[in-house]
Amino acid sequence: MAQKAIREYDGKALFAKHWNEYFDGFHYGFKSVLVTSGQELLDKANEHGFEWLKQEPLVAKPDMLFGKRGKNGLVLFKINKPGDVTLEDAAKWIDEKRSHDVTLLSGQKGRLTHFIVEPFTPHTQDQEYYISATTVGEDDVLYMSAEGGMEVEENWDKVVEVRIPINMPDSDIEKSIHANVPKDIPADKKEAFASFATQFYKFFRDLHFAYLEINPIVMLDNGEMAILDLVARLDDTAGFLMRDKWGDIEFPTPFGMEEKSPEEEAIAEADSKSGASLKLTILNPQGRIWTMVAGGGASVVYADTIADLAGVEDLANYGEYSGGPTTSETKFYAETIFDLMTRYKDPRGKILIIGGAIANFTDVAKTFTGIIQALEEYADKLKEHGTKIYVRRGGPNYEKGLKDIKEAADRLGLDMEVYGPETHLTDIVRIALEKDKKQGDN
């Protein structure tokens, strides 16, 4: 499972979009905006449907994938008394917070760029509850507590854990959750909370969340629910299944981390629309050893081997293409790698490792057709950069794939050596570096 965090705003929007489908007997009045400046907030208040920004007391906070915003002094919800924040107050506060770098208690440092603004929800402490769900091994796990809020971690001994095997029937799930409702939830609230918790879990499961937490969820009168704070991560390997249910959702870079390059973003976008796995991280754009590796495990092994034998400073990228990508997807991935590796010249030349283990179901010839098409586009540039290519692959149709790519390299005048599954997985790294050293000695 590949987990990707989403903004609180997007998580709440997913609840709102599917609320009537999953949460029978409860109501959620979704009112929320995501803005990047005070002026954007002021402009939003003049749009139809957002009149509440001028009419109701507000809460404002950053929405940038980090927690403990209250403890970091980054929640605006009162001035003289609770709920006394106006539209103008929120806009002014946002502009002040975005004007300089912020250092969190965790040590993370960066600039605040996105803020979520919502109506203030009057309530009492005893109306706050905690609920979350995640996947642990082969089971899902639901967590529930009668005490939500900032101190939930300090009171974790009061949190009830319900393990739900992946194939448990819905009727048994409902029974298990009802039987384990925290004992300190008031008697007149237990049935409603159990019903909400059951529906919350099914929503978590059906929409392929990897982690989903509401802290606190506020249970008001007449089935009215208020989601005050939310943390969510989606299983992005299910993206191609969830296009309609998720919509055009964003996976932002976490606070304090460098933004993705346009190429990394493009591969991530292609990955989100594919049933295959396409991953790319640029480690050193001027590095001389580039990889195009099939398989997540193999990508780690190749990266470690290159770092050990050549030094991490020469390793240009990390990533994978796996899970049976189409010819066109493989071509796009290869073109992205070839474009990146031919932007900066190195007097020693470049090394390209096209490696992978023995595939289980990926048609090697089909993916190599995509690589060959990309080689045809970039052959001249690769030769200009003195690129030496080493290929090692096995799996379905691998003989044809290796034959085709070698013939293409010879036709294009590319320096390429090709090896099959009789060669150890990472031997092409050793072979490449030994030949490179000999050439350097000469």
Side-chain angles (χ1 to χ4, degrees):
M1 178 184 294
Q3 301 185 15
K4 284 192 175 180
I6 61 174
R7 297 193 192 280
E8 179 178 354
Y9 172 84
D10 289 324
K12 290 177 176 178
L14 280 177
F15 268 100
K17 180 179 180 180
H18 301 288
W19 189 269
N20 292 336
E21 179 183 356
Y22 283 92
F23 295 94
D24 183 43
F26 300 95
H27 177 68
Y28 174 43
F30 176 64
K31 291 181 180 179
S32 186
V33 295
L34 181 71
V35 297
T36 59
S37 70
Q39 187 59 53
E40 186 179 356
L41 179 64
L42 294 172
D43 292 342
K44 198 75 178 175
N46 292 319
E47 295 181 17
H48 177 67
F50 295 93
E51 295 84 359
W52 56 269
L53 285 165
K54 298 179 180 179
Q55 300 165 353
E56 301 186 41
L58 303 175
V59 176
K61 54 193 174 184
D63 192 356
M64 296 187 65
L65 311 188
F66 65 84
K68 296 182 171 57
R69 288 167 293 187
K71 292 186 177 181
N72 279 282
L74 293 174
V75 179
L76 178 69
F77 68 96
K78 64 180 179 179
I79 295 177
N80 298 317
K81 60 182 181 179
D84 194 22
V85 174
T86 66
L87 173 65
E88 291 71 22
D89 294 328
K92 181 180 178 181
W93 184 83
I94 287 170
D95 283 340
E96 191 278 325
K97 293 301 179 185
R98 66 189 286 269
S99 66
H100 55 83
D101 284 350
V102 170
T103 301
L104 306 181
L105 296 173
S106 63
Q108 294 170 279
K109 184 178 180 179
R111 189 67 62 97
L112 300 175
T113 59
H114 290 74
F115 300 83
I116 184 172
V117 181
E118 300 174 317
F120 176 80
T121 302
H123 66 280
T124 59
Q125 181 68 38
D126 62 1
Q127 291 176 304
E128 293 187 354
Y129 300 91
Y130 174 88
I131 189 165
S132 68
T134 189
T135 300
V136 179
E138 295 297 316
D139 298 339
D140 290 332
V141 183
L142 180 71
Y143 300 94
M144 304 176 289
S145 176
E147 296 187 21
M150 288 195 298
E151 306 303 324
V152 69
E153 291 180 2
E154 288 77 2
N155 294 291
W156 197 252
D157 58 317
K158 298 181 180 179
V159 175
V160 174
E161 174 183 320
V162 182
R163 298 190 76 88
I164 303 173
I166 196 167
N167 294 320
M168 179 180 278
D170 282 358
S171 58
D172 291 344
I173 291 172
E174 185 172 355
K175 290 176 185 176
S176 180
I177 292 173
H178 276 68
N180 287 281
V181 171
K183 292 182 172 54
D184 46 355
I185 289 181
D188 62 337
K189 296 285 187 181
K190 279 189 176 179
E191 182 60 33
F193 184 86
S195 177
F196 176 80
T198 301
Q199 295 173 83
F200 171 89
Y201 170 72
K202 292 177 182 177
F203 174 74
F204 160 86
R205 179 195 62 192
D206 292 357
L207 268 76
H208 289 268
F209 283 91
Y211 181 79
L212 182 61
E213 174 189 87
I214 305 177
N215 182 34
I217 178 76
V218 175
M219 297 184 69
L220 301 167
D221 296 331
N222 301 317
E224 188 79 25
M225 308 295 281
I227 301 174
L228 296 197
D229 280 304
L230 179 144
V231 178
R233 295 193 293 272
L234 294 170
D235 174 9
D236 78 327
T237 61
F240 72 104
L241 294 172
M242 293 284 105
R243 288 176 193 167
D244 291 338
K245 290 205 169 186
W246 289 356
D248 188 18
I249 204 153
E250 178 189 7
F251 296 108
T253 301
F255 177 79
M257 293 181 63
E258 293 184 5
E259 293 292 326
K260 288 181 179 179
S261 70
E263 294 77 19
E264 290 168 325
E265 289 282 6
I267 294 299
E269 176 70 13
D271 177 68
S272 70
K273 297 176 179 178
S274 171
S277 179
L278 303 170
K279 303 289 186 290
L280 175 64
T281 299
I282 301 169
L283 303 174
N284 177 10
Q286 298 189 47
R288 65 184 298 252
I289 303 177
W290 291 77
T291 64
M292 187 171 171
V293 179
S299 65
V300 175
V301 173
Y302 274 102
D304 286 347
T305 304
I306 293 167
D308 286 344
L309 299 181
V312 70
E313 64 279 359
D314 273 338
L315 179 58
N317 70 304
Y318 170 80
E320 63 162 306
Y321 71 103
S322 60
T326 64
T327 296
S328 60
E329 288 170 341
T330 310
K331 178 177 183 284
F332 174 69
Y333 188 89
E335 286 176 335
T336 303
I337 298 293
F338 300 165
D339 178 52
L340 287 164
M341 70 181 292
T342 54
R343 291 183 184 180
Y344 302 96
K345 286 197 172 181
D346 190 301
R348 300 168 295 171
K350 300 289 180 71
I351 294 173
L352 172 62
I353 303 292
I354 301 176
I358 300 175
N360 293 320
F361 61 89
T362 296
D363 187 321
V364 175
K366 184 174 71 174
T367 55
F368 272 27
T369 298
I371 299 174
I372 291 166
Q373 291 172 356
L375 287 172
E376 289 170 344
E377 296 283 340
Y378 281 86
D380 290 341
K381 282 189 175 182
L382 291 168
K383 287 186 284 188
E384 285 175 17
H385 286 258
T387 305
K388 294 178 174 58
I389 306 171
Y390 297 84
V391 180
R392 188 274 187 188
R393 196 70 167 107
N397 223 4
Y398 83 92
E399 296 98 336
K400 183 179 187 316
L402 295 178
K403 177 177 177 289
D404 289 348
I405 201 168
K406 179 58 176 171
E407 287 179 350
D410 292 343
R411 171 170 50 84
L412 296 167
L414 292 166
D415 188 347
M416 177 185 288
E417 295 185 19
V418 173
Y419 300 87
E422 72 283 351
T423 301
H424 185 270
L425 180 66
T426 57
D427 260 3
I428 57 172
V429 177
R430 177 186 56 78
I431 293 167
L433 294 176
E434 286 179 354
K435 293 191 174 184
D436 186 64
K437 185 176 185 302
K438 285 180 183 179
Q439 183 174 337
D441 292 341
N442 294 333

